[in-house]
Amino acid sequence: DAKTTQPPSMDCAEGRAANLPCNHSTISGNEYVYWYRQIHSQGPQYIIHGLKNNETNEMASLIITEDRKSSTLILPHATLRDTAVYYCIVRGDNQGGKLIFGQGTELSVKP
Amino acid sequence: GAGVSQTPSNKVTEKGKYVELRCDPISGHTALYWYRQSLGQGPEFLIYFQGTGAADDSGLPNDRFFAVRPEGSVSTLKIQRTERGDSAVYLCASSLVGGGAITDTQYFGPGTRLTVL
């Protein structure tokens, strides 16, 4: 299974865009990139996923590089409620149902 | 609609005791997953049910841990002879299709915080 590398922590000013990077240089062709976040004392919350095209939903945008070796999750206008640990997960069809979480990035949005 | 619910939200027990943790998945979701999260770590997979059967139990740490889903809906995670190292947040998730489908999104409950004294 492809591993992911994320910075352990990041800060972002309230109202600014938060850009969270993820490196997945060993990703294979049929593996998707998933993002979840976990607000303190809550369960992980699904954000977005993609294969190779950029994706956008009401929560965030996902930009995947052309070689698919890295991606960036973008929260366009971060709020204090976006403070959380963000997990980038690579998911393939050889993992069964399991999600394999790393350490994630702890994003602190500051006023 | 209602999300995944877990009870109790907190459980404190003594070393050696037996505990049961309950998960109510989203209605109609075929697949159900259990994860365990230790302090400062990401969640770790324990077991995955497809309907009533355990499709993958490779994450259960030892035979003190057991889970059931007798009617394909509610699931119970059972831990025998609890140890202090079992202290963690136990998370449950459900998904619509399961079957290892890559784009089948898992939705998590709030977790049960287990403390073994």
Side-chain angles (χ1 to χ4, degrees), chain A residues 51-70:
Chain A
L51 181 62
K52 54 183 177 181
N53 297 320
N54 298 337
E55 302 287 345
T56 295
N57 63 20
E58 65 279 4
M59 290 184 69
S61 294
L62 173 60
I63 308 297
I64 302 174
T65 58
E66 192 168 344
D67 64 8
R68 303 211 320 124
K69 294 185 176 182
S70 65

Side-chain angles (χ1 to χ4, degrees), chain B residues 87-108:
Chain B
S87 296
V89 175
Y90 289 81
L91 294 160
C92 176
S94 70
S95 67
L96 183 62
V97 173
I102 300 176
T103 57
D104 188 41
T105 300
Q106 295 181 26
Y107 298 92
F108 284 78

Side-chain angles (χ1 to χ4, degrees), chain A residues 10-29:
Chain A
M10 290 181 63
D11 289 342
C12 178
E14 188 178 19
R16 304 296 295 270
N19 297 285
L20 294 101
C22 180
N23 182 287
H24 33 78
S25 58
T26 60
I27 194 169
S28 61

Side-chain angles (χ1 to χ4, degrees), chain A residues 30 32 34 36 38 41-44 46 49 87 91-93 95-99 101-103, chain B residues 33 35 37 40-43 45 48 56 58 91 100-110:
Chain A
N30 64 345
Y32 279 72
Y34 270 76
Y36 278 78
Q38 189 170 24
S41 296
Q42 297 183 21
Y46 166 77
H49 72 276
Y87 295 100
R91 189 177 182 195
D93 59 8
Q95 294 169 223
K98 68 181 76 166
L99 294 174
F101 290 81
Q103 302 277 48
Chain B
Y33 313 80
Y35 293 81
Q37 186 171 26
Q41 304 295 316
F45 170 80
Y48 146 53
D56 182 355
S58 62
L91 294 160
I102 300 176
T103 57
D104 188 41
T105 300
Q106 295 181 26
Y107 298 92
F108 284 78

